[in-house]
Amino acid sequence: MEKKLFLGIELGSTRIKATLIDESFIPQASGSYSWQDTLLDGYWTYSLDDVEKGLQSCYRDLKGNYRAKFAKALKKVDAIGVSAMMHGYLAFDRAGRLLAPFRTWRNTSTAEAAKELTSLFNFNIPQRWSVSHLYQAILNKESHVKDVAYMTTLAGYVHYILSHRNVLGVGDASGMFPIDSTTCNYDGKMADKFRKLTGFDVYSVFPEVLKAGEDAGFLTKEGALFLDPDGDLEEGAMLAPPEGDAGTGMSATNSVRKRTGNVSAGTSIFSMVVLERMMDTVHEEIDMVTTPTGSPVAMVHCNNCTSDMNAYVSVLNEAVELMGGESDLDELYRRLYRKALEASADASAFTVYNYISGEPVTGLSDGRPVIVRDRTKKASLADFVRAHLYSALATLAYGMYIMKGEGVEIDRLMGHGGLFRHPVTGAKFLASAVDAPVFTMKTAGEGGPYGMALLAAYRAIGHESLEDFLDNRVFKDAEGERMEPVEEEVKAFKAYLDRFINGMAVEKAAIEKF
């Protein structure tokens, strides 16, 4: 008897990735496709044509890897789940036509709307949330607004193509509009206020909300051909509720119980901590979202993480090639990460601002990468790399300090994403940044698509709570490493963070002048 197979797909900022797991929850095959957003008419966007092309290329890569490993075609998958970068603006008319190019989470053009809605709801509404984009379009008197019949997220859009169901997982929905965790639906009082303000009925315009494990439809014949134009993939697979990258990160790191948390670090970086209770104070630096089952989560989301460092690593790789060396980016990253451990504890020679785009956590609507060198200190490669890694964590740490001030307790913080492909350095620096133990697991590099594959498995074979399913069936024997914070290194990171915050005028001047 053949094992059941579960497919998780995630559309991230720089790659579309897919992971296929079996009943042992071990990855059996994977695929990927690289892509990049573009700046079109002032908005960061991806074309829906690229979504189709990328998904098909990613799946083709996965099924090719499956055939190479098992010497047979991949035809039957028991359950599928789709996740993607959260938030943004995908608005359609009644005929299903896209009314404006997809506006992603990366845009920081909705400050007016976010501020007004935060005041109206007494609940932090970030700029990247879908409701902020909708209300800003209303404030801007954009002509298409009158034709908006429904909105969704990128994951919801792909899920609709595969299943013809306009639904969202509650975690992804919580990045569109505030969720009431007692009902696991859009907050009724806030929805009423928004209807009175704009005339839009949230329950009609936004997708139906589902919890992890609930029926989100099945793969249609058309959906199977969309994903696999070769026609090998059979219709009929169960569909899990589509989730955002935050929810898949929680699932991939077993961080859905109260007092647990995770940090996803790649193109963007965010921390998520499952709360015992709602915080007393509204903080614009902290978002309130939910787990895939609707529990409240405090989230610090930063638009910028490793993109600036990646650019400099590419420059260093050019230098290697110039000297006749062999180009091996992954090995270069490994060596640079190890080199960073030799630096001064506070990376004293450099202060780096990694802001490729705007950063609402620190109040910036735009960004410019900036490096400041202390001319009294010796410049070294070790300090240069360590400063870039510290910069990737600095804005997150700034928000986490606020969370700690609210009395939020964290028993376990899991790290995943590209920053943790080299776990010792990434985990060590994160532990210093947040002054808490950091765990990384061997599956951490799998990230979002692995977490979505787990949610697909839960949809098909899970009968207990998601927390128990992950604890007792998926991660019972998981191997990983624990990195404890060291007091001296915590103080050193704080010294770097103080330089980073105190020198913010340099970043603001760069934005104004360049």
Side-chain angles (χ1 to χ4, degrees):
M1 182 174 167
E2 299 224 349
K3 289 184 177 180
K4 293 182 181 296
L5 296 174
F6 313 108
L7 175 63
I9 301 171
E10 183 157 286
L11 294 93
S13 302
T14 58
R15 285 198 301 161
I16 300 174
K17 296 175 286 185
T19 298
L20 187 73
I21 66 174
D22 63 10
E23 294 166 283
S24 67
F25 312 112
I26 296 174
Q28 302 299 306
S30 62
S32 68
Y33 173 81
S34 295
W35 69 341
Q36 189 64 54
D37 55 0
T38 56
L39 191 61
L40 177 66
D41 297 330
Y43 293 103
W44 292 103
T45 187
Y46 299 83
S47 78
L48 298 189
D49 287 342
D50 284 344
V51 171
E52 179 177 357
K53 176 185 175 183
L55 282 167
Q56 292 173 354
S57 297
C58 175
Y59 185 80
R60 187 180 304 115
D61 186 31
L62 177 138
K63 75 173 190 175
N65 290 331
Y66 182 87
R67 180 183 285 277
K69 183 176 181 179
F70 297 104
K72 60 181 179 180
L74 177 60
K75 294 186 176 183
K76 178 178 171 55
V77 176
D78 293 273
I80 300 173
V82 178
S83 64
M85 59 191 95
M86 293 173 65
H87 320 297
Y89 188 65
L90 273 168
F92 300 86
D93 65 13
R94 293 190 181 281
R97 290 186 291 260
L98 184 68
L99 293 171
F102 173 35
R103 298 171 186 178
T104 77
W105 59 270
R106 195 173 185 179
N107 290 288
T108 51
S109 55
T110 63
E112 182 183 3
K115 183 177 180 180
E116 286 191 25
L117 292 175
T118 296
S119 177
L120 178 68
F121 296 156
N122 192 32
F123 185 99
N124 182 38
I125 304 296
Q127 289 197 49
R128 65 185 180 280
W129 280 28
S130 303
V131 69
S132 293
H133 283 280
L134 174 59
Y135 188 46
Q136 191 65 54
I138 294 170
L139 293 176
N140 292 346
K141 296 182 170 57
E142 297 186 40
S143 60
H144 75 265
V145 170
K146 68 181 185 305
D147 298 318
V148 173
Y150 68 95
M151 292 174 55
T152 190
T153 64
L154 184 55
Y157 168 75
V158 174
H159 183 93
Y160 182 82
I161 292 175
L162 299 183
S163 68
H164 212 66
R165 287 280 302 277
N166 186 24
V167 299
L168 274 189
V170 62
D172 203 14
S174 71
M176 294 192 78
F177 194 87
I179 294 292
D180 179 350
S181 288
T182 62
T183 64
C184 288
N185 205 344
Y186 304 115
D187 186 283
K189 292 181 180 178
M190 296 183 199
D192 188 54
K193 289 180 179 180
F194 190 70
R195 180 183 57 77
K196 290 177 180 177
L197 177 68
T198 66
F200 278 95
D201 178 9
V202 167
Y203 297 103
S204 297
V205 174
F206 290 175
E208 177 188 354
V209 181
L210 300 175
K211 293 186 293 183
E214 292 186 334
D215 179 6
F218 295 86
L219 182 66
T220 64
K221 182 178 181 180
E222 294 78 13
L225 286 171
F226 176 86
L227 195 58
D228 182 16
D230 295 336
D232 292 330
L233 181 61
E234 298 175 4
E235 63 182 290
M238 294 182 180
L239 267 293
E243 267 298 346
D245 48 7
T248 58
M250 283 186 276
S251 301
T253 56
N254 192 20
S255 303
V256 297
R257 284 197 187 277
K258 293 176 181 179
R259 294 172 63 106
T260 67
N262 78 95
V263 171
S264 173
T267 304
S268 63
I269 184 170
F270 55 82
S271 64
M272 306 195 70
V273 179
V274 187
L275 302 181
E276 296 177 278
R277 59 175 180 81
M278 293 289 286
M279 293 189 295
D280 296 328
T281 307
V282 176
H283 295 280
E284 293 188 4
E285 300 88 350
I286 298 174
D287 307 349
M288 294 304 304
V289 290
T290 78
T291 68
T293 55
S295 296
V297 173
M299 178 183 192
V300 179
H301 184 287
C302 311
N303 286 351
N304 301 277
C305 186
T306 60
S307 292
D308 187 43
M309 181 177 67
N310 293 343
Y312 283 102
V313 173
S314 293
V315 171
L316 293 173
N317 191 55
E318 284 189 40
V320 171
E321 293 175 336
L322 182 65
M323 295 299 293
E326 183 178 347
S327 177
D328 186 341
L329 268 176
D330 200 51
E331 179 61 24
L332 179 58
Y333 272 105
R334 276 195 291 271
R335 295 191 182 198
L336 290 173
Y337 272 54
R338 287 198 296 268
K339 190 68 177 176
L341 295 173
E342 302 173 12
S344 58
D346 64 347
S348 57
F350 299 96
T351 303
V352 176
Y353 295 90
N354 65 327
Y355 291 173
I356 297 288
S357 61
E359 192 55 80
V361 172
T362 48
L364 299 178
S365 60
D366 204 350
R368 299 290 186 278
V370 173
I371 299 175
V372 180
R373 184 173 73 84
D374 185 338
R375 60 183 180 176
T376 69
K377 304 290 174 61
K378 179 182 177 181
S380 70
L381 178 62
D383 269 27
F384 183 78
V385 178
R386 192 171 188 131
H388 274 281
L389 288 167
Y390 274 9
S391 173
L393 297 167
T395 308
L396 177 83
Y398 177 72
M400 292 288 283
Y401 275 106
I402 296 171
M403 194 185 298
K404 283 195 172 186
E406 282 284 335
V408 173
E409 299 284 345
I410 305 173
D411 292 336
R412 186 182 70 203
L413 192 63
M414 306 294 293
H416 66 107
L419 191 70
F420 302 101
R421 291 175 66 189
H422 313 283
V424 173
T425 305
K428 183 180 182 67
F429 290 172
L430 178 60
S432 300
V434 301
D435 191 15
V438 173
F439 295 79
T440 54
M441 293 184 292
K442 287 188 175 180
T443 54
E446 300 290 344
Y450 178 69
M452 194 64 241
L454 293 178
L455 290 173
Y458 182 65
R459 163 76 177 94
I461 62 175
H463 304 293
E464 61 274 74
S465 70
L466 179 61
E467 293 88 342
D468 287 344
F469 177 78
L470 295 176
D471 272 346
N472 301 331
R473 299 178 64 175
V474 179
F475 295 107
K476 182 180 180 181
D477 301 314
E479 297 179 15
E481 296 184 18
R482 175 188 176 102
M483 189 67 66
E484 294 283 351
V486 177
E487 184 177 358
E488 290 182 0
E489 294 176 354
V490 172
K491 290 179 179 178
F493 186 91
K494 184 62 166 59
Y496 180 89
L497 181 62
D498 288 343
R499 294 204 315 266
F500 185 88
I501 298 300
N502 293 336
M504 195 62 70
V506 174
E507 171 67 16
K508 293 177 180 177
I511 293 169
E512 181 182 346
K513 300 297 183 181
F514 295 96

